[in-house]
């Protein structure tokens, strides 16, 4: 039987997700949005490309959660972006309300779905989503690390003039200024990136610049676009997670997952390597960290905790 993916939020990322899923024939797609016309319009537009592209899936748009019933995967991008004059806490308050509505909409209609959250601020919103929905923690996960790692790899590949395919890396921690590029786990053509510096093949300043550019990778695109934020790479990253679940690929991917002691963190969502297979998050992978990586990750953990404390002040249910 064909699988079903529901996309909650049919904006820039939602529409791109729908298109990628259709091209890959990964599943039937339901696009949901409070703005019903956007969901229906994008679904119709993509459906009309099927005879050109040759894909065979059903795609529809709706503003009714009943239509998302019994989804195998749900990907959430519902939210509002930060506008001028809005504080981080203002945005958090608005998106927490939206995520509560989404949680109420999906928890009874698709209780067995693998739920991927993309709405920002990511780590806190995915934690709130799990709490509001009560869905199992191994089935509720946040997308950020794949995107951040992909940006880091791309910048490194450009600097070293080498294919991204020859670069292994991991960017972990919270999705924001404190994300950590794990340099001791970054290899270029099988060689540690830090050794390339020792050998004079890469300047330390260049690597520092790339680490920094990765942290502000989202902001760089916001500035260029002037309106909206990145959506192609975020959508591709969400699809990789959905595919690993639906096809039981058991890929190791950096994602925001619920930790219960791993990395010294208890009861918090954080970007770490996980295995995604038919049972959702099948394993949290713990990797050895050197002192610098540990210190940077601790800094990131504090930032996520601080933001979650702000969320608890907004809604005591999250406490
Ligand atoms: P956008 O194009 O504004 O789409 C958001 C959609 O959500 C709009 O179509 C809204 O109508 C819809 N919406 C609002 N409220 C609701 C609701 N209650 N129920 C259902 N739909 C609703 O944004 P986008 O697609 O560019 O980005 C979506 C989210 O992803 C934002 O929060 C971004 O900040 C976030 N984002 C995260 C990453 C990460 O790496 C984590 C990267 C890029 C964007």
């Amino acid at each position: 039987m064909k699988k079903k993916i529901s996309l909650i939020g049919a904006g820039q990322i939602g529409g791109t997700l729908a298109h990628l899923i259709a091209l890959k024939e990964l599943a039937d797609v339901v696009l949901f949005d409070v703005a019903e016309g956007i969901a229906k319009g994008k679904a119709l537009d993509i459906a009309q490309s099927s005879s050109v592209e040759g894909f065979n899936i059903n795609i529809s748009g709706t503003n009714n959660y009943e239509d998302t019933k019994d989804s195998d995967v749900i990907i959430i991008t519902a939210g509002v972006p930060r506008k001028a004059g809005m504080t981080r806490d203002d945005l958090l308050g608005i998106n927490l309300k939206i995520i509560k509505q989404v949680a109420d909409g999906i928890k009874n209609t698709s209780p067995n779905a693998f739920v991927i959250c993309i709405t920002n601020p990511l780590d806190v919103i995915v934690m709130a989503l799990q709490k509001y929905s009560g869905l199992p923690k191994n089935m509720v996960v946040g997308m950020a690390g794949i995107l951040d790692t992909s940006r880091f790899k791309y910048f490194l590949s450009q600097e070293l003039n080498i294919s991204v395919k020859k670069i292994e890396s991991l960017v972990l921690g919270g999705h924001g200024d404190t994300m950590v590029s794990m340099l001791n786990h970054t290899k270029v053509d099988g060689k540690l990136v830090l050794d390339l510096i020792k050998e004079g093949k890469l300047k330390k300043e260049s690597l520092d610049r790339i680490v920094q550019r990765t942290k502000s990778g989202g902001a760089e695109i916001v500035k260029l676009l002037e309106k909206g934020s990145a959506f192609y790479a975020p959508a591709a990253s969400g699809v990789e997670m959905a595919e690993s679940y639906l096809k039981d690929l058991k890929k190791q991917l950096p994602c925001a997952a619920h930790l219960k002691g791993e990395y010294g963190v208890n009861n918090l969502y954080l970007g770490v390597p996980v295995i995604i297979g038919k049972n959702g998050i099948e394993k949290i992978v713990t990797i050895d960290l050197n002192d610098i990586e540990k210190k940077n990750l601790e800094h990131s953990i504090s930032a996520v905790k601080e933001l979650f404390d702000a969320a608890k002040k907004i809604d005591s249910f999250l406490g």
Side-chain angles (χ1 to χ4, degrees):
M1 211 177 77
K2 258 207 244 153
K3 301 289 183 184
K4 174 172 177 180
I5 300 181
S6 290
L7 307 171
I8 314 298
Q12 297 279 59
I13 303 179
T16 312
L17 281 166
H19 196 201
L20 288 176
I21 293 164
L23 292 175
K24 283 176 170 266
E25 293 187 314
L26 198 54
D28 286 339
V29 176
V30 176
L31 263 170
F32 175 103
D33 204 293
V34 281
E36 188 185 9
I38 292 180
K40 288 198 158 150
K42 288 193 179 181
L44 191 57
D45 190 8
I46 293 170
Q48 288 169 357
S49 72
S50 62
S51 73
V52 181
E53 298 285 1
F55 60 77
N56 178 26
I57 58 134
N58 289 315
I59 177 162
S60 57
T62 185
N63 64 351
N64 182 350
Y65 276 105
E66 271 305 304
D67 297 328
T68 69
K69 199 172 162 46
D70 295 330
S71 297
D72 297 286
V73 173
I74 292 181
I75 309 181
I76 300 166
T77 58
V80 298
R82 191 154 146 182
K83 295 194 184 82
M86 207 187 249
T87 66
R88 190 193 61 181
D89 286 359
D90 291 340
L91 178 75
L92 181 59
I94 295 169
N95 281 352
L96 277 175
K97 274 201 191 115
I98 291 176
I99 225 62
K100 186 166 187 320
Q101 282 173 14
V102 174
D104 289 343
I106 65 171
K107 66 182 178 193
N108 297 322
T109 39
S110 294
N112 301 315
F114 183 58
V115 183
I116 300 166
C117 181
I118 303 187
T119 302
N120 272 323
L122 192 270
D123 308 274
V124 171
I125 291 292
V126 67
M127 176 116 167
L129 171 72
Q130 192 283 321
K131 284 185 182 267
Y132 287 140
S133 66
L135 293 172
K137 295 182 174 104
N138 64 312
M139 295 296 274
V140 178
V141 62
M143 186 298 293
I146 300 176
L147 172 67
D148 298 332
T149 305
S150 178
R151 285 177 173 155
F152 182 62
K153 283 184 183 176
Y154 172 71
F155 295 146
L156 210 49
S157 78
Q158 293 292 294
E159 180 70 27
L160 294 166
N161 194 22
I162 195 166
S163 161
V164 281
K165 289 189 179 153
K166 293 201 164 172
I167 301 179
E168 283 169 55
S169 189
L170 273 176
V171 178
L172 304 182
H175 179 61
D177 300 343
T178 62
M179 68 178 70
V180 190
S181 297
M182 296 288 170
L183 301 183
N184 222 21
H185 294 85
T186 301
K187 286 185 178 165
V188 180
D189 215 358
K191 189 178 262 189
L192 272 178
V193 73
L194 296 173
D195 287 345
L196 294 183
I197 293 178
K198 282 184 203 150
E199 291 168 14
K201 291 181 181 143
L202 174 67
K203 288 201 185 92
K204 183 176 177 305
E205 304 81 71
S206 305
L207 184 60
D208 291 347
R209 187 174 30 78
I210 288 169
V211 167
Q212 191 48 45
R213 191 174 175 198
T214 303
K215 287 185 187 179
S216 50
E220 182 178 355
I221 290 178
V222 166
K223 201 165 164 215
L224 287 167
L225 293 179
E226 291 181 6
K227 204 170 160 231
S229 53
F231 52 99
Y232 293 114
S237 307
V239 169
E240 187 176 32
M241 293 164 73
E243 191 169 29
S244 191
Y245 171 74
L246 288 173
K247 298 184 177 168
D248 192 24
L249 299 179
K250 301 197 191 296
K251 277 192 181 179
Q252 180 178 313
L253 301 166
C255 302
H258 182 266
L259 300 185
K260 38 187 187 322
E262 300 89 348
Y263 295 92
V265 179
N266 207 15
N267 198 22
L268 195 73
Y269 269 80
L270 190 79
V272 293
V274 300
I275 302 289
I276 297 181
K278 66 176 186 308
N279 300 310
I281 300 287
E282 299 194 344
K283 191 177 172 202
I284 308 273
V285 179
T286 43
I287 56 167
D288 289 335
L289 304 179
N290 68 14
D291 288 347
I292 299 172
E293 288 171 332
K294 231 181 241 169
K295 192 170 138 265
N296 289 340
L297 193 64
E298 272 160 20
H299 177 53
S300 192
I301 293 164
S302 303
V304 175
K305 277 188 184 154
E306 202 180 295
L307 197 57
F308 196 65
D309 285 343
K312 286 195 268 192
K313 279 194 193 127
I314 293 169
D315 185 354
S316 57
F317 173 84
L318 299 170

